């Protein structure tokens, strides 16, 4: 057994043994579980993909005269101003004002909150336009100006739901093309799409949240952030395989970090045809090897991780329970899978190569002593389901 304190002392002294989740698999095969657990201190996990439940709090500072901003647009993308005078929250999926959306289906959704966030992290200039009703102490009623991230007092990425433990594989069983947040799906199961880093993904390497919890330090697009809560829609009471790995969505994480420290390579605005705007984000999470059970979980392979194939033309929008089948991430990454006797082309909405790069960058930071581990001060809920929204009349009981 090791402790966080012991591992952090080794990190500070430059003696920690750190491997990526990709490398640890072969290492354990070669050295055996017991020897590897004694030698290895940290395994780095990572993912890079579209994470719609993301956004940021921005503080603009006070103008002269002062203003209580009640409506805010950044590059014509509306931000939520129902907080303090010059604070606003910009959501990744908010569209630019007057975007035609799906009026001319399928819409292009060329610019939204995710693109603004990318520009800010890249140090580019953006426009602020704000309105107010005016008060005695905040008399200004309108302002238009330009700023960069360096002009802000704070720019704090605050994401309610990132890093899904597992996720649906999307397919289209109808006879027409459909457009989804998992991309374009051709008719009659001509293609399918998925979004996961598989064996690199953080929560797939910690299936019961033994080391990842509230307070865990994370690498968030290059910044040092942390888990501030369970993610929204965290549903740990899920179907699991014999290896305890979830076979459906399961856990999620709420993450936060300083945008001023981020690298724009890992913060990218996304336009999803026919669906909307979003943000692609890179996340890395170190797993301390406290014992051999934790290490065993970190040796999970793509061939041992399965996801459900869902028909997004009917089952998904109607909240149905049927699945087309289950496939492994090894098969998904091969480029084609067999479903109902048909060969179906696969495509990924996440980047395995970016995730691998992040896991390597995090490994090097830890080996240099620049990134220490933090013990969670609160566990993620272990047996939690998810409540659906049922439409009810006023006064109707559930």
């Amino acid at each position: 057994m090791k402790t966080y304190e012991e591992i952090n002392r080794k990190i500070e002294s430059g003696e920690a043994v750190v491997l990526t989740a990709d490398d640890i698999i072969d290492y354990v095969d070669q050295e055996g579980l017991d020897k590897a657990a004694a030698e290895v201190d940290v395994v780095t996990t990572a993912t890079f993909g579209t994470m719609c439940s993301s956004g940021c709090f921005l503080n603009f500072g006070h103008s002269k005269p002062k203003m209580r901003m009640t409506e805010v647009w950044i590059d014509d993308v509306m931000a939520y101003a129902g907080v303090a005078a010059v604070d606003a929250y910009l959501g990744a999926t908010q569209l630019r004002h007057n975007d035609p959306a799906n009026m001319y289906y399928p819409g292009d959704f060329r610019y939204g909150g995710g693109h603004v966030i990318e520009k800010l992290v890249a140090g580019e200039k953006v426009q602020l336009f704000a309105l107010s009703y005016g008060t005695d102490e905040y008399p200004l009623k309108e302002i238009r100006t330009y700023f960069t991230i360096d002009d802000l007092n704070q720019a704090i990425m605050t994401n309610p739901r990132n890093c899904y433990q597992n996720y649906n594989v999307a397919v289209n069983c109808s006879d027409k093309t459909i457009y989804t947040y998992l991309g374009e799906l051709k008719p009659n199961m001509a293609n399918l799409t998925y979004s996961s880093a598989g064996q690199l993904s953080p929560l797939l390497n910690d299936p019961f949240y033994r080391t990842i919890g509230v307070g865990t330090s994370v690498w968030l697009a290059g910044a040092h952030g942390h888990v501030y809560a369970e993610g929204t829609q965290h549903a740990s009471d899920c179907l699991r395989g014999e290896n305890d790995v979830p076979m459906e969505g399961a856990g999620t994480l709420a993450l936060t970090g300083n945008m001023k420290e981020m690298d724009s390579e890992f913060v990218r605005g996304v336009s999803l045809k026919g669906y909307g705007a979003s943000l692609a984000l890179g996340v890395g999470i170190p797993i301390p090897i406290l014992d051999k059970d934790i290490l065993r979980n970190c040796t999970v392979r793509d061939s041992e991780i399965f996801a459900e194939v869902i028909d997004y033309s009917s089952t998904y929008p109607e909240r149905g329970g049927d699945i087309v089948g289950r496939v492994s991430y090894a098969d998904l990454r091969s480029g084609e899978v067999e479903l109902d006797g048909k060969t179906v082309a696969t495509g990924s909405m996440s980047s395995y190569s970016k995730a691998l790069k992040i896991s390597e960058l995090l490994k090097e930071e830890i080996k240099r002593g620049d990134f220490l581990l933090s013990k969670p001060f609160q566990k993620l809920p272990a047996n939690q389901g998810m409540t659906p929204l049922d439409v009810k009349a006023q006064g109707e009981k559930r």
Side-chain angles (χ1 to χ4, degrees), residues 391-398:
V391 179
K392 300 184 290 290
Q394 186 176 4
E396 180 183 350
K397 293 183 179 179
R398 183 175 176 82

Side-chain angles (χ1 to χ4, degrees), residues 71-289:
E71 296 176 87
V72 171
W73 292 263
I74 305 172
D75 271 3
D76 294 327
V77 178
M78 180 176 283
Y80 177 72
V83 280
V86 289
D87 289 327
Y89 184 80
L90 176 66
T93 64
Q94 183 68 43
L95 297 178
R96 181 162 47 191
H97 179 65
N98 282 338
D99 189 291
N102 264 341
M103 183 179 296
Y104 306 103
Y105 178 83
D108 287 329
F109 303 97
R110 295 180 180 176
Y111 198 79
H115 299 88
V116 176
I117 292 170
E118 177 186 343
K119 286 182 68 175
L120 283 171
V121 171
E124 297 182 32
K125 187 176 291 185
V126 295
Q127 182 193 81
L128 167 66
F129 177 62
L131 299 173
S132 176
Y133 46 74
T135 71
D136 290 337
E137 70 271 53
Y138 297 111
L140 193 62
K141 295 184 178 180
E142 181 176 327
I143 192 170
R144 188 185 300 272
T145 186
Y146 292 84
F147 69 94
T148 70
I149 196 168
D150 293 330
D151 298 316
L152 299 171
N153 290 302
Q154 285 81 31
I156 305 169
M157 187 171 284
T158 311
N159 302 342
R161 183 171 71 252
N162 288 170
C163 296
Y164 252 110
Q165 194 164 17
N166 204 343
Y167 210 72
N168 300 334
V169 175
V171 72
N172 174 18
C173 296
S174 75
D175 58 3
K176 65 176 184 178
T177 298
I178 63 173
Y179 300 89
T180 75
Y181 63 80
L182 283 169
E184 179 179 334
L185 297 174
K186 298 175 182 177
N188 304 312
M189 294 202 314
N191 72 317
L192 60 75
T193 56
Y194 65 99
S195 185
S196 175
Q199 64 191 27
L200 283 178
S201 194
L203 290 178
L204 288 174
N205 283 275
D206 189 11
F208 287 118
Y209 326 119
R210 286 193 58 197
T211 69
I212 301 175
V214 180
T216 293
S217 296
V218 304
W219 188 99
L220 186 57
H224 291 185
H226 64 272
V227 179
Y228 71 84
E230 63 183 91
T232 55
Q233 297 185 184
H234 177 87
S236 50
D237 185 13
C238 63
L239 179 67
R240 295 174 182 266
E242 292 183 2
N243 57 359
D244 296 326
V245 174
M247 301 173 75
E248 51 190 350
T252 67
L253 302 173
L255 305 180
T256 186
N258 185 355
M259 280 173 53
K260 293 189 176 188
E261 299 173 353
M262 292 183 180
D263 184 337
S264 59
E265 179 181 353
F266 305 103
V267 182
R268 306 303 296 268
V270 175
S271 296
L272 295 165
K273 192 176 186 68
Y275 176 77
S278 189
L279 181 73
L281 189 63
V283 180
I285 303 182
I287 295 181
I289 304 306

Side-chain angles (χ1 to χ4, degrees), residues 284-357:
I285 303 182
I287 295 181
I289 304 306
L290 306 177
D291 57 49
K292 65 181 182 181
D293 288 334
I294 289 174
L295 179 58
R296 182 184 292 109
N297 289 331
C298 289
T299 63
V300 68
R301 302 170 186 268
D302 282 332
S303 59
E304 301 166 335
I305 307 169
F306 290 83
E308 295 181 336
V309 182
I310 307 292
D311 179 9
Y312 269 57
S313 70
S314 61
T315 302
Y316 184 85
E318 296 299 327
R319 211 179 79 195
D322 295 335
I323 67 171
V324 178
R326 291 188 180 91
V327 291
S328 75
Y329 282 101
D331 289 337
L332 289 167
R333 288 183 61 202
S334 75
E336 59 184 31
V337 298
E338 296 294 324
L339 279 176
D340 290 341
K342 183 176 182 178
T343 300
V344 183
T346 69
S348 179
M349 297 294 291
S350 61
S351 171
Y352 191 87
S353 61
K354 285 280 193 190
L356 190 58
K357 183 175 182 178

